[in-house]
Every structure is written in structure tokens, then in C-alpha cells.
Amino acid sequence: MRVFYTVLLCSLLVLGFCSANGPFVMGQETYVIDIQGFAWNRSSLSVLLVTSEDESWWRGSYVNDSLRAVGQWNDAFAAFATNYPAYSYLSGVTVQSAVSNMSMPGYDLYINWTKSSLSNSSDEVGLAKTYVNGDSSIENCTISLAVQTSQGTMMRGVDMQNIAMHELGHGFGLGHCNYTDDLMYSIYSLAASPKAVSTLDAYSVARCFAWMQSETGFHPVSRWLNASFVSLPSDINYVDLPVSMQNQPPQTLTDSAAIQFLLMMLTVLAQPIIAVPVLIVLLLFAILAAIPRRRHGRVRVDS
């Protein structure tokens, strides 16, 4: 019996590890991200967070989540510029935030919130609309964030921050990445761990701001920044860039590693291909345990 339970536990641990880390693949896939073919013609950007305080679903924490998302991008620009001197100009890209209960002109990016999904055909919880001038320079960008899914699932603080970071990436000129764990992957799983800006994300933004290396500043040339896929150069490894303490999302009980592991195990066990055999085995052992055992009579023999 002990051997069975030991084997069963080891099997579940292996299944959990595989589910968490994905299949083992020989070699490494090339991670790429697409840039959309337009860029800002200024390096100091401003973002206005427009609150919805008169709505019953509104929570003040949404503002803090999004402010940390802006802060993470600022952290990433500074770290990437420091670690890779060839792109030191990226440290000159900064995003300043302001908060208001009404929209006001004069800002580069706008973040607002809506109650439910942003699309009738898909469960879209984030959307960035970028307005571009004829010279391929960005005029402004409006980001909308849903506070719950179409099924009514509310966004946690970590979810809101992750999604806000993703949409800000679009606002900087990025498209989607082919790596499922990257911030700019097109599909997001709720209750995910905190995301970070990767070197691939920052490098791609640096490509969009490459005009900063010119002494004359932004000088639009026809098709100077084509929509294309970008991969990291050979001298830059794919890693997550550091996040300052002030921009890390607050930890809750459900964010702890132990709770996340238990939730992951429950998710694995809930899959029919695993749950059915496990239930059958447990049922058989329950039946065997319920069968009364014949006890042999014992007598005492005096010596």
C-alpha cells in the first residue's frame, strides 16, 4: 500500500512539473516579436489614467495596478540601456503618469477601464488603439482595460498589471511575440504569475526608437521602420529585466508558491485523462479496504 501511494505521489509530481514547464524540446526555439511599422517621434511620453469613480464596479486599486505597469516599463528601459551600451539611448525614453476622473487633451497615451469584455466574439480584456500620422509617427494611443471577463471573473491586481503592461507594449509600437511566457504573447491566462518585460521586448522598443541615435532627431523617411519580425541579436540573451520593489505587484495568499502549486495540481487532476484512472484506482483500493479480512485464531501455549 505504501509503495502504491509513493508511486502515485511521484507520478502526480511529475505530471505537475511537466504541466508547469511544458514539453521537453531538444534545442531552443527562436523567439520573435513583430513591430508594427510606426513609432513615436518623441522620447518623453505622458499617459493619463482616466478613472470611472461613478461606476459601481470601480476599484481604486486599478489605478495603482496600471501605475506599476508604467513603472515596470520605465524600469526595463533603464535596465536595458545600462546592460547593453549599444542601446544606451533607450534610457532617454520615459513615461510620466497622471490621473484624472475625466479625459483631457495633450497626453500621448490614455488608459481607461470598462466593466466587461471588449469584444463580443472573443474574451478580450485589453485593447490598444493607436492613431498614426502619414509619416508613420504615432499621434496618440488609447488603451482600454476590462475589469472582468465575459463570464464575470474579476481581474486580480496581478492580472490588471500584466494586461496593462501588455497593452502599453502595443502603445510603444510592438505587436505579439511567439513565446507563450513572454509579456507580449497574444493569449493571457488568468491568475498568472507577475510578468516582466523581457530583453526581447525592450530590444524591439529600442528598434522603434532607433532614430534617437541621429543628431537631427526624428526624421521620417518613407518606410524607414517596416512592419517586421524581430529577434534578439546573438550577443543578447533572452531574460526578464529586473523590476524595482515599488513596481512589483502586492503579494496575496493566492500568489504564494505553495498555493499556486496546489492549484496547479488540482488543475492537472481535473483533466479527464488523468482524473478517470486515478479515481478508478482509488475506488478499487476503497473496495479492497472495505472487504473484511479473515483473522486467524490465536491460543496461548504454556511452556
Side-chain angles (χ1 to χ4, degrees):
M1 181 71 74
R2 290 181 179 178
V3 173
F4 166 76
Y5 284 121
T6 301
V7 172
L8 178 61
L9 178 59
C10 292
S11 300
L12 293 177
L13 290 173
V14 170
L15 288 170
F17 179 81
C18 292
S19 299
N21 293 277
F24 176 76
V25 180
M26 294 298 292
Q28 181 171 321
E29 179 185 6
T30 300
Y31 302 146
V32 298
I33 190 170
D34 63 286
I35 53 177
Q36 302 182 63
F38 40 78
W40 292 96
N41 60 6
R42 47 200 181 274
S43 58
S44 296
L45 304 176
S46 59
V47 56
L48 179 66
L49 285 68
V50 184
T51 63
S52 300
E53 297 173 6
D54 55 340
E55 299 289 349
S56 59
W57 47 262
W58 174 253
R59 297 179 183 175
S61 59
Y62 300 146
V63 170
N64 294 329
D65 300 332
S66 299
L67 287 174
R68 287 193 299 269
V70 173
Q72 274 198 252
W73 274 106
N74 284 326
D75 289 343
F77 294 154
F80 190 81
T82 299
N83 293 329
Y84 305 99
Y87 309 96
S88 59
Y89 61 88
L90 194 60
S91 63
V93 178
T94 58
V95 187
Q96 299 295 326
S97 303
V99 181
S100 174
N101 59 4
M102 64 178 66
S103 183
M104 297 184 293
Y107 289 85
D108 300 306
L109 300 109
Y110 294 85
I111 296 178
N112 56 57
W113 290 265
T114 184
K115 180 180 179 180
S116 194
S117 176
L118 301 162
S119 172
N120 294 326
S121 59
S122 61
D123 209 352
E124 197 168 33
V125 291
L127 180 65
K129 293 184 178 180
T130 305
Y131 302 89
V132 183
N133 296 317
D135 61 357
S136 296
S137 65
I138 300 174
E139 178 64 27
N140 56 57
C141 177
T142 298
I143 294 171
S144 298
L145 303 173
V147 304
Q148 66 180 35
T149 67
S150 58
Q151 291 78 33
T153 303
M154 298 297 296
M155 297 291 165
R156 300 181 310 149
V158 173
D159 295 321
M160 185 64 72
Q161 184 168 341
N162 288 341
I163 295 168
M165 288 174 59
H166 176 98
E167 299 306 329
L168 283 166
H170 289 317
F172 297 137
L174 304 186
H176 287 136
C177 181
N178 67 335
Y179 178 39
T180 57
D181 285 342
D182 190 85
L183 170 67
M184 296 309 299
Y185 190 65
S186 60
I187 299 175
Y188 179 75
S189 299
L190 293 180
S193 301
K195 296 285 187 179
V197 178
S198 70
T199 48
L200 176 59
D201 303 328
Y203 170 74
S204 301
V205 173
R207 289 279 296 268
C208 296
F209 282 92
W211 57 265
M212 294 177 65
Q213 301 174 94
S214 171
E215 294 181 357
T216 58
F218 184 85
H219 183 67
V221 178
S222 179
R223 302 183 67 82
W224 72 275
L225 182 67
N226 295 324
S228 60
F229 288 99
V230 173
S231 59
L232 283 171
S234 59
D235 59 335
I236 301 178
N237 293 324
Y238 182 98
V239 295
D240 287 338
L241 293 167
V243 183
S244 63
M245 288 296 297
Q246 65 183 17
N247 292 321
Q248 292 181 4
Q251 294 292 306
T252 64
L253 179 62
T254 55
D255 294 325
S256 70
I259 296 298
Q260 288 294 323
F261 177 77
L262 290 175
L263 291 174
M264 179 267 294
M265 293 301 299
L266 290 174
T267 301
V268 171
L269 290 173
Q271 298 177 11
I273 193 172
I274 297 174
V276 172
V278 170
L279 288 175
I280 291 175
V281 172
L282 292 178
L283 181 60
L284 288 174
F285 272 88
I287 293 173
L288 291 175
I291 298 176
R293 297 181 180 180
R294 179 180 299 177
R295 295 186 176 181
H296 297 284
R298 295 184 178 180
V299 295
R300 181 171 179 171
V301 179
D302 293 328
S303 57

